[in-house]
Coordinates of all heavy atoms in Angstrom, one line a residue:
Chain B
H4 N 138.0 35.6 78.2 CA 138.4 34.5 77.4 C 138.6 33.3 78.2 O 139.3 33.3 79.2 CB 139.8 34.9 76.7 CG 139.7 36.1 75.8 ND1 139.6 36.0 74.5 CD2 139.5 37.4 76.1 CE1 139.4 37.2 73.9 NE2 139.4 38.1 74.9
I5 N 137.8 32.3 78.0 CA 137.8 31.1 78.9 C 138.2 29.8 78.1 O 138.0 29.7 76.9 CB 136.4 30.9 79.6 CG1 135.3 30.6 78.6 CG2 136.1 32.1 80.4 CD1 134.0 30.1 79.3
T6 N 138.7 28.9 78.9 CA 139.1 27.6 78.3 C 138.4 26.5 79.1 O 138.3 26.5 80.3 CB 140.7 27.4 78.5 OG1 141.3 28.5 77.8 CG2 141.1 26.1 77.8
L7 N 137.8 25.6 78.3 CA 137.1 24.5 78.9 C 138.0 23.4 79.5 O 139.2 23.5 79.1 CB 136.2 23.9 77.8 CG 135.1 24.9 77.3 CD1 134.3 24.3 76.2 CD2 134.1 25.3 78.4
P8 N 137.6 22.5 80.3 CA 136.3 22.2 80.7 C 135.6 23.2 81.6 O 136.3 24.0 82.3 CB 136.4 20.8 81.4 CG 137.9 20.9 82.0 CD 138.6 21.6 80.9
L9 N 134.3 23.2 81.7 CA 133.5 24.1 82.4 C 133.4 23.6 83.9 O 132.4 23.0 84.3 CB 132.2 24.4 81.8 CG 131.3 25.5 82.4 CD1 132.0 26.8 82.2 CD2 130.0 25.6 81.7
T10 N 134.5 23.8 84.7 CA 134.4 23.4 86.1 C 133.4 24.2 86.8 O 133.0 25.3 86.4 CB 135.8 23.6 86.7 OG1 136.1 25.0 86.6 CG2 136.9 22.8 86.0
E11 N 133.1 23.7 88.0 CA 132.1 24.4 88.8 C 132.7 25.8 89.2 O 131.9 26.8 89.1 CB 131.9 23.6 90.1 CG 130.8 24.3 91.0 CD 130.3 23.4 92.1 OE1 130.9 22.3 92.3 OE2 129.4 23.8 92.8
E12 N 134.0 25.9 89.4 CA 134.6 27.2 89.8 C 134.5 28.2 88.6 O 134.1 29.4 88.8 CB 136.0 27.0 90.1 CG 136.7 28.2 90.7 CD 138.2 28.0 90.8 OE1 138.7 26.8 90.6 OE2 138.9 29.0 91.2
L13 N 134.8 27.7 87.4 CA 134.7 28.6 86.2 C 133.3 29.0 85.9 O 133.0 30.1 85.7 CB 135.3 27.8 85.0 CG 135.2 28.5 83.6 CD1 135.9 29.9 83.7 CD2 135.9 27.6 82.5
A14 N 132.4 28.0 86.1 CA 130.9 28.3 85.8 C 130.4 29.4 86.7 O 129.7 30.3 86.3 CB 130.1 27.0 86.0
K15 N 130.8 29.3 88.0 CA 130.3 30.3 89.0 C 130.9 31.7 88.8 O 130.4 32.7 89.2 CB 130.6 29.8 90.4 CG 129.7 28.7 90.8 CD 129.9 28.3 92.3 CE 128.8 27.4 92.8 NZ 129.1 26.8 94.1
S16 N 132.1 31.7 88.0 CA 132.7 33.1 87.8 C 132.0 33.8 86.6 O 132.3 35.0 86.4 CB 134.2 32.9 87.5 OG 134.3 32.3 86.2
L17 N 131.2 33.1 85.9 CA 130.6 33.8 84.7 C 129.2 34.4 85.1 O 128.4 33.8 85.8 CB 130.4 32.7 83.6 CG 131.6 32.1 83.1 CD1 131.3 30.9 82.2 CD2 132.5 33.1 82.4
K18 N 129.0 35.6 84.6 CA 127.8 36.3 84.9 C 127.0 36.7 83.7 O 127.5 37.0 82.6 CB 128.1 37.6 85.7 CG 129.0 37.4 87.0 CD 128.1 36.7 88.0 CE 129.0 36.2 89.2 NZ 128.5 35.0 89.9
A19 N 125.6 36.7 83.8 CA 124.8 37.0 82.7 C 125.2 38.4 82.2 O 125.4 39.3 82.9 CB 123.3 37.1 83.2
G20 N 125.3 38.4 80.8 CA 125.7 39.7 80.2 C 127.2 39.7 79.8 O 127.6 40.5 79.0
D21 N 128.0 38.7 80.4 CA 129.4 38.6 80.0 C 129.5 38.3 78.5 O 128.8 37.4 78.0 CB 130.1 37.5 80.8 CG 130.4 37.9 82.2 OD1 130.3 39.2 82.5 OD2 130.8 37.1 83.0
I22 N 130.5 38.9 77.9 CA 130.8 38.4 76.5 C 132.0 37.5 76.7 O 133.0 37.8 77.3 CB 131.2 39.7 75.6 CG1 130.0 40.5 75.5 CG2 131.7 39.2 74.3 CD1 130.2 41.9 74.8
V23 N 131.8 36.3 76.1 CA 132.8 35.2 76.4 C 133.4 34.7 75.1 O 132.7 34.5 74.1 CB 132.1 34.1 77.1 CG1 132.9 32.8 77.1 CG2 131.8 34.4 78.6
Y24 N 134.7 34.5 75.0 CA 135.4 33.9 73.9 C 135.8 32.5 74.4 O 136.7 32.5 75.3 CB 136.5 34.7 73.4 CG 136.0 36.0 72.8 CD1 135.8 37.2 73.5 CD2 135.6 36.1 71.4 CE1 135.2 38.3 73.0 CE2 135.1 37.2 70.8 CZ 134.9 38.4 71.6 OH 134.4 39.5 71.1
L25 N 135.2 31.5 73.9 CA 135.4 30.2 74.5 C 136.3 29.3 73.6 O 136.2 29.2 72.4 CB 134.0 29.5 74.6 CG 133.8 28.2 75.2 CD1 132.5 28.2 76.1 CD2 133.7 27.1 74.2
T26 N 137.2 28.6 74.3 CA 138.2 27.7 73.6 C 138.1 26.4 74.3 O 138.1 26.3 75.6 CB 139.6 28.3 73.7 OG1 139.6 29.5 73.0 CG2 140.6 27.3 73.1
G27 N 138.1 25.3 73.5 CA 138.1 24.0 74.1 C 137.2 23.0 73.3 O 136.7 23.3 72.3
T28 N 137.0 21.8 74.0 CA 136.2 20.8 73.4 C 134.7 20.9 73.8 O 134.4 21.0 75.0 CB 136.7 19.4 73.8 OG1 138.1 19.3 73.3 CG2 135.9 18.3 73.2
I29 N 133.8 20.9 72.8 CA 132.4 20.9 73.1 C 131.7 19.8 72.3 O 132.4 19.2 71.4 CB 131.7 22.2 72.8 CG1 131.9 22.6 71.3 CG2 132.3 23.3 73.7 CD1 131.2 23.9 70.9
Y30 N 130.5 19.4 72.6 CA 129.8 18.4 71.9 C 128.5 18.9 71.3 O 127.9 19.8 71.9 CB 129.4 17.2 72.9 CG 130.7 16.6 73.5 CD1 131.2 17.1 74.7 CD2 131.3 15.6 72.8 CE1 132.4 16.6 75.2 CE2 132.5 15.1 73.4 CZ 133.0 15.6 74.5 OH 134.2 15.0 75.0
T31 N 128.1 18.4 70.1 CA 126.9 18.9 69.5 C 125.8 17.9 69.7 O 126.0 16.7 69.6 CB 127.1 19.1 68.0 OG1 127.1 17.8 67.3 CG2 128.4 19.9 67.6
S32 N 124.6 18.5 70.0 CA 123.4 17.6 70.0 C 122.2 18.5 69.9 O 122.2 19.7 70.4 CB 123.4 16.8 71.3 OG 122.3 15.9 71.3
R33 N 121.1 18.0 69.3 CA 119.9 18.7 69.3 C 118.7 17.8 69.6 O 118.9 16.8 70.4 CB 119.7 19.6 68.1 CG 120.1 19.0 66.8 CD 119.8 19.8 65.6 NE 118.3 19.9 65.4 CZ 117.7 20.8 64.8 NH1 118.3 21.9 64.3 NH2 116.4 20.8 64.6
D34 N 117.5 18.0 69.1 CA 116.3 17.3 69.5 C 116.5 15.8 69.6 O 116.4 15.2 70.7 CB 115.2 17.6 68.5 CG 115.0 19.0 68.3 OD1 116.0 19.7 68.0 OD2 113.8 19.5 68.4
A35 N 116.8 15.1 68.4 CA 116.8 13.7 68.4 C 117.9 13.1 69.2 O 117.8 12.0 69.8 CB 116.9 13.2 66.9
G36 N 119.1 13.8 69.2 CA 120.3 13.3 69.9 C 120.0 13.4 71.5 O 120.4 12.4 72.2
H37 N 119.4 14.4 71.9 CA 119.0 14.6 73.3 C 118.1 13.5 73.8 O 118.2 12.9 74.9 CB 118.5 15.9 73.6 CG 119.5 16.9 74.0 ND1 120.2 17.6 73.0 CD2 120.0 17.4 75.2 CE1 121.1 18.4 73.7 NE2 121.0 18.3 75.0
K38 N 117.1 13.2 72.9 CA 116.1 12.2 73.2 C 116.8 10.8 73.4 O 116.6 10.1 74.4 CB 115.1 12.1 72.1 CG 114.0 11.1 72.3 CD 112.8 11.4 71.3 CE 111.6 10.5 71.5 NZ 111.8 9.2 70.8
R39 N 117.7 10.6 72.5 CA 118.4 9.3 72.6 C 119.4 9.2 73.8 O 119.5 8.2 74.5 CB 119.3 9.1 71.3 CG 119.4 7.6 70.9 CD 120.0 7.5 69.6 NE 119.1 7.5 68.5 CZ 119.5 7.3 67.2 NH1 120.8 7.0 66.9 NH2 118.6 7.3 66.2
M40 N 120.0 10.3 74.1 CA 120.9 10.3 75.3 C 120.2 10.1 76.6 O 120.6 9.4 77.4 CB 121.7 11.7 75.3 CG 122.9 11.7 74.3 SD 124.0 13.1 74.7 CE 123.1 14.5 74.3
C41 N 119.0 10.8 76.7 CA 118.2 10.6 77.9 C 117.6 9.2 78.0 O 117.5 8.7 79.1 CB 117.1 11.7 78.0 SG 117.9 13.3 78.3
E42 N 117.3 8.6 76.9 CA 116.9 7.2 76.9 C 118.0 6.3 77.4 O 117.8 5.3 78.1 CB 116.4 6.8 75.5 CG 115.0 7.3 75.2 CD 114.6 7.2 73.7 OE1 115.4 6.7 72.9 OE2 113.5 7.7 73.3
T43 N 119.2 6.6 76.9 CA 120.4 5.8 77.3 C 120.6 5.9 78.8 O 120.8 4.9 79.5 CB 121.6 6.4 76.5 OG1 121.4 6.3 75.2 CG2 122.9 5.6 76.9
L44 N 120.5 7.1 79.3 CA 120.7 7.3 80.8 C 119.6 6.6 81.6 O 119.9 6.0 82.6 CB 120.7 8.8 81.1 CG 122.0 9.6 80.6 CD1 121.8 11.1 80.8 CD2 123.2 9.1 81.4
A45 N 118.4 6.7 81.0 CA 117.3 6.0 81.7 C 117.5 4.5 81.9 O 117.0 3.9 82.8 CB 116.0 6.3 81.0

Side-chain angles (χ1 to χ4, degrees):
Chain B
H4 296 259
I5 63 168
T6 304
L7 297 174
L9 191 61
T10 60
E11 186 168 5
E12 189 190 353
L13 177 57
K15 283 183 168 168
S16 74
L17 300 171
K18 302 293 165 205
D21 284 349
I22 295 171
V23 165
Y24 293 88
L25 184 141
T26 297
T28 297
I29 60 176
Y30 299 91
T31 74
S32 186
R33 42 173 291 158
D34 309 51
H37 271 82
K38 182 165 184 273
R39 213 174 272 186
M40 285 196 289
C41 287
E42 284 164 0
T43 301
L44 289 171

